[in-house]
Amino acid sequence: EVLGKVADNNAQFNFKEADEIYNNQGIPCLEIKEYNTIKKEYIKKYFNDTQCQKLNDEKYEILADMSQYTLVKARAWTGKTTLLKYKIKLLIEKYWVQSDEILAFAFNKRAAKELMKRTQDVGVNDFCSSMTFHSFAWRVLSRTTNERYELLFDDNLNNHDQDQTLS
């Protein structure tokens, strides 16, 4: 009975409900990895139905895994940004996560801007929390203290060093 409910919800692309049934009621004969393998096929169909570009099986497995945190490490041009844009789309559209509850870190400003642009390209228009680790740290510092911080930029490095040696 529980397995039937989970399958029905996944088939209707109600992934959040299917996950809640699986997590709360459990299916003793079905491990989480097996559950995610089954769910992966429904996610693949969902994204194929919504005219998204095809992903490989490994990426669909990552989309099926609803762990609280997702770390994507891979070399250049392997589809990290594509995977993240679809993960964000899935979280917002099918798990009802608010866009301001998602934080995506990128290596540099260009990559952060590119991720925001690509999420808009797949219909997620209100996502704006893609940033570098440095910009995140700056936001935390500026919101948690009244102190003003002077930023040190590479082009100011020599002048700053000279000022320090004079004092």
Side-chain angles (χ1 to χ4, degrees):
E1 184 181 326
V2 174
L3 186 56
K5 287 181 185 176
V6 168
D8 289 345
N9 277 299
N10 274 324
Q12 297 170 18
F13 307 134
N14 294 327
F15 302 121
K16 182 177 181 175
E17 288 92 343
D19 288 357
E20 287 173 353
I21 293 168
Y22 176 81
N23 291 327
N24 295 334
Q25 297 179 14
I27 303 172
C29 61
L30 194 62
E31 296 291 324
I32 187 70
K33 187 171 181 163
E34 295 168 313
Y35 170 67
N36 282 338
T37 300
I38 294 167
K39 190 171 98 175
K40 171 185 77 172
E41 296 304 318
Y42 292 108
I43 288 176
K44 190 183 294 187
K45 183 171 177 13
Y46 169 71
F47 279 115
N48 287 342
D49 287 353
T50 57
Q51 271 68 56
C52 293
Q53 73 186 65
K54 304 265 189 272
L55 302 172
N56 63 29
D57 273 354
E58 185 179 29
K59 290 184 178 80
Y60 283 117
E61 286 175 21
I62 293 168
L63 291 173
D65 182 8
M66 280 297 125
S67 301
Q68 187 173 3
Y69 306 102
T70 302
L71 174 64
V72 179
K73 295 189 321 184
R75 62 184 189 276
W77 300 102
T78 56
K80 295 179 297 293
T81 304
T82 300
L83 173 66
L84 287 174
K85 78 178 176 183
Y86 289 136
K87 183 77 165 190
I88 292 166
K89 178 180 178 68
L90 187 67
L91 287 169
I92 292 171
E93 290 182 356
K94 293 297 173 183
Y95 284 86
W96 306 302
V97 174
Q98 298 299 310
S99 61
D100 63 351
E101 296 175 329
I102 300 170
L103 177 59
F105 286 119
F107 183 71
N108 58 34
K109 285 182 195 176
R110 187 185 61 76
K113 287 179 183 176
E114 180 68 17
L115 180 57
M116 286 192 292
K117 178 193 171 301
R118 289 198 197 179
T119 56
Q120 290 174 351
D121 291 347
V122 294
V124 180
N125 296 318
D126 60 344
F127 176 71
C128 62
S129 297
S130 177
M131 61 187 72
T132 65
F133 290 102
H134 292 101
S135 62
F136 175 72
W138 177 251
R139 281 189 185 185
V140 169
L141 284 174
S142 63
R143 289 182 181 168
T144 59
T145 180
N146 291 331
E147 293 182 38
R148 291 210 40 176
Y149 293 94
E150 184 177 325
L151 294 179
L152 180 63
F153 295 99
D154 288 343
D155 53 350
N156 294 342
L157 189 58
N158 291 336
N159 293 340
H160 184 72
D161 286 343
Q162 289 173 354
D163 291 343
Q164 293 291 38
T165 57
L166 294 175
S167 52

